Amino acid sequence: MVNRSDIHYFGAGPAPLPTAVLENAAQVLLNYRDKGLGLCEISHRSPEANEILTNTKQALITLLDIPDDYDVLFLQSGGTGEFSATVYNLVSIWVEKQRAKIAAEVGDDEAEVLKRLRSVVDDELRLDYLVTGSWSLKASQEATRLVGAKHVNVALDARKSNDGKFGRIPAEDEWTLTPRARGGPAFVYFCDNETVDGVEFPAFPKSLEGDDAPLVCADMSSNFISRKVDVRKYAVIFGGAQKNIGSTGIAIVIMRKSLLPPTSKSASPDLLRALNLPVGPIVLDYPTISKNNSLYNTLPIFDVWVAGQVMDRLVNNYGAKKIGGQEEVSNEKARLIYETLDKYSDLYRVVPDKTARSRMNICFRVHGGDAEREKAFLAGAEKKGLLGLKGHRSVGGIRASNYNAVSLEGAKLLVSYLEEYAKAA
C-alpha cells in the first residue's frame, strides 16, 4: 500500500491539499460539530454555514490585506465561468455609465438616448485583453463570443514576438491598449499566471497604473495566495479554488464595492438586448451574489470550508508576515528547481523566457523534447514518488506545479532527481 507521505504531487490541478486539512475534512464529512450530520448535508443557510462563509472571507482578507472597500464573493462558476461573468458585469456597468451621461445631455427623450447610446457602443466599447498564454487566450475568445470581435482588442498577443508560441511577456511599449484619450476600454484583462505555459507577470503592469487607470480584471487562479498583491490596483480579481486554495467547486472573486449598487448601477436587461449585447445568467451577476452574501443559490459549503481551512493554516503559520511568509517559501522552492534546470541547460530547456518564468508552474523539456526520453524521465520520477509532472496535453513536455501544498522537502526531492537524471544521461 502506498502511503500519502511517500508521494509528492506536482499536478497542475486539482492540486494537492495539506494532509491535515484532508484528515479534518474526512471527519466533518461524517459528523460536523457532533450534529450527526456531515458538512455536505447541512443547510447552506444555516448559522453554521454562515459562520464558515464569514471565517473563510476573513482569512482571505487577513492574508491579502484586502481593504474595507472591497467585497469577497464565492461562486460555483470556476475560473472559466468568470471569463463570462467579468464580461457580463463590467460591460453592463460601462453601458449604464454611457447611458447616464447621454441622458444628462438630452433629458427624457428615451428614443434619442437609445439612438446615441447605440452609436457610442458601436464606436467606443472595447475590452482589452493581454494574451500571454492558453487561459488568457480562452478568456479573449469567450469575450469575442459574447460581444463580437469588433469590441475585443487583443492589446497583446505574446506569440507574435516569440515564434508563434507563448513563453514571454513583451515590453509594455509594444502593447496596443485602447487609448485613454478616447475614454479607454471597459476593462483590461490579464491572467497573472498561465498554468499551461509557465508564464507569470513579475509585477503589476506600470501602464495600468495612475489616477485615470482603466478597470483591471485579473485571473489569479493558479497563483492566488502565493505572493503579496496590492488589491487596490485591481477592479476585479478572480480565481478557481483548485490550485492553491481548496477543492474543485468554487471560484473566489475580490471586487471593488464601488462597482456594486448603490454606488454603481448596471444596465437593465432590456437595454442590453436593445443594444444587441448579452444578458448574463443571474448566478453570475455580481450585484445579486453580493447582496445575498454569496447565498443566492446553494453554495457548496464543504468547498468553502476546505478553502477556509487552507487559508487559516497560512494565517496561523505566518502570523504578521501574512501571505509574505508563503511568498518566501514559494520563491525558495522555485529558485531551487530553476537553478538546477539551468545548471544542466544542455539537458533541460526551460520553456518560458527568464523574465517571465512562473513560480507556480515550472515548464521544461528534456532532451530537446524527445518524446520517448521524456516518457522515461517521467517513469523514473514516478518510481521515486514524484507524480503529476507531465505537461499539459496541448503543449507536452514536463511541468512541475509548485503550489503551496508542495513542501520544500518535495521540491528538494525533485531537485535531487533532476541532478541524478542529469548525471546518468
Side-chain angles (χ1 to χ4, degrees):
M1 178 178 176
V2 178
N3 294 316
R4 183 176 175 84
S5 59
D6 297 329
I7 297 299
H8 295 275
Y9 186 63
F10 296 89
L17 289 165
T19 298
V21 170
L22 291 178
E23 289 173 341
N24 290 338
Q27 296 176 18
V28 302
L29 274 173
L30 288 173
N31 193 344
Y32 184 68
R33 291 189 173 179
D34 291 326
K35 288 186 170 295
L37 288 173
L39 190 50
C40 288
E41 299 166 305
I42 67 170
S43 168
H44 65 296
R45 300 194 190 281
S46 65
E48 292 81 10
N50 275 274
E51 181 184 25
I52 290 168
L53 194 57
T54 298
N55 291 344
T56 303
K57 277 188 181 182
Q58 188 54 54
L60 183 58
I61 289 168
T62 300
L63 283 173
L64 295 184
D65 284 318
I66 298 174
D68 291 340
D69 54 345
Y70 279 73
D71 200 359
V72 177
L73 313 179
F74 296 87
L75 301 92
Q76 292 167 279
S77 60
T80 299
E82 292 308 303
F83 295 167
S84 308
T86 50
V87 173
Y88 290 134
N89 286 277
L90 297 182
V91 166
S92 183
I93 290 170
W94 183 91
V95 168
E96 174 56 27
K97 285 182 177 179
Q98 307 312 310
R99 187 208 62 78
K101 288 179 184 177
I102 295 169
E105 295 173 3
V106 305
D108 297 330
D109 188 341
E110 293 185 5
E112 181 64 18
V113 170
L114 182 58
K115 177 183 174 182
R116 293 195 186 188
L117 185 56
R118 280 195 178 117
S119 178
V120 168
V121 168
D122 191 53
D123 294 340
E124 298 181 19
L125 175 59
R126 296 293 181 274
L127 318 181
D128 283 4
Y129 280 78
L130 307 179
V131 176
T132 55
S134 299
W135 291 113
S136 51
L137 176 61
K138 287 179 182 293
S140 70
Q141 291 169 338
E142 175 64 358
T144 299
R145 189 182 72 87
L146 293 176
V147 300
K150 177 179 180 177
H151 298 301
V152 176
N153 172 39
V154 177
L156 162 65
D157 185 339
R159 295 171 295 183
K160 292 181 179 179
S161 61
N162 196 48
D163 297 325
K165 296 181 180 179
F166 294 120
R168 63 184 295 267
I169 301 174
E172 293 186 38
D173 60 9
E174 297 180 39
W175 304 358
T176 56
L177 295 166
T178 299
R180 296 183 196 176
R182 291 185 52 204
F187 64 87
V188 179
Y189 167 98
F190 69 91
C191 182
D192 205 41
N193 182 81
E194 292 282 2
T195 319
V196 173
D197 307 282
V199 171
E200 185 175 29
F201 276 81
F204 187 84
K206 288 185 171 57
S207 57
L208 301 181
E209 295 182 338
D211 294 337
D212 63 340
L215 298 181
V216 175
C217 171
D219 175 0
M220 293 188 181
S221 292
S222 52
N223 65 353
F224 228 147
I225 64 169
S226 72
R227 66 178 181 183
K228 295 178 183 177
V229 175
D230 186 352
V231 173
R232 288 197 180 277
K233 293 182 177 180
Y234 302 85
V236 176
I237 295 171
F238 72 81
Q242 68 275 12
K243 311 290 187 178
N244 277 321
I245 297 179
S247 51
T248 304
I250 57 170
I252 299 176
V253 173
I254 304 169
M255 68 176 301
R256 289 180 190 159
K257 290 180 180 177
S258 62
L259 297 173
L260 297 167
T263 309
S264 179
K265 294 183 179 180
S266 301
S268 71
D270 286 344
L271 179 58
L272 292 172
R273 281 190 284 266
L275 297 168
N276 294 318
L277 290 173
V279 177
I282 196 71
V283 293
L284 295 181
D285 184 66
Y286 292 158
T288 299
I289 302 303
S290 176
K291 180 181 178 181
N292 289 277
N293 191 32
S294 299
L295 296 172
Y296 177 77
N297 61 324
T298 306
L299 188 68
I301 288 297
F302 174 74
D303 297 314
V304 177
W305 179 89
V306 171
Q309 292 293 300
V310 170
M311 291 189 285
D312 275 341
R313 284 174 57 82
L314 294 178
V315 171
N316 294 330
N317 286 347
Y318 297 119
K321 285 186 175 182
K322 301 181 181 177
I323 205 59
Q326 181 59 51
E327 182 175 18
E328 291 175 4
V329 176
S330 296
N331 290 349
E332 176 63 9
K333 291 186 293 175
R335 182 191 67 80
L336 289 170
I337 296 170
Y338 278 124
E339 281 188 356
T340 306
L341 294 172
D342 289 339
K343 180 179 176 182
Y344 299 101
S345 58
D346 56 331
L347 174 63
Y348 304 121
R349 177 178 63 82
V350 177
V351 174
D353 187 80
K354 203 166 189 176
T355 60
R357 287 179 176 178
S358 169
R359 301 162 306 118
M360 293 288 100
N361 307 102
I362 300 170
C363 298
F364 60 99
R365 305 306 300 254
V366 180
H367 295 289
D370 182 279
E372 292 305 313
R373 288 181 166 186
E374 287 188 335
K375 284 182 182 178
F377 174 88
L378 291 169
E382 288 189 12
K383 289 179 181 177
K384 294 184 175 295
L386 306 171
L387 306 183
L389 288 166
K390 187 176 181 179
H392 191 272
R393 63 186 181 278
S394 64
V395 295
I398 315 297
R399 174 176 55 177
S401 292
N402 177 38
Y403 297 136
N404 291 354
V406 173
S407 65
L408 182 58
E409 176 195 1
K412 288 180 177 179
L413 287 172
L414 175 58
V415 165
S416 295
Y417 175 64
L418 291 170
E419 292 267 6
E420 177 185 315
Y421 185 89
K423 290 173 181 175

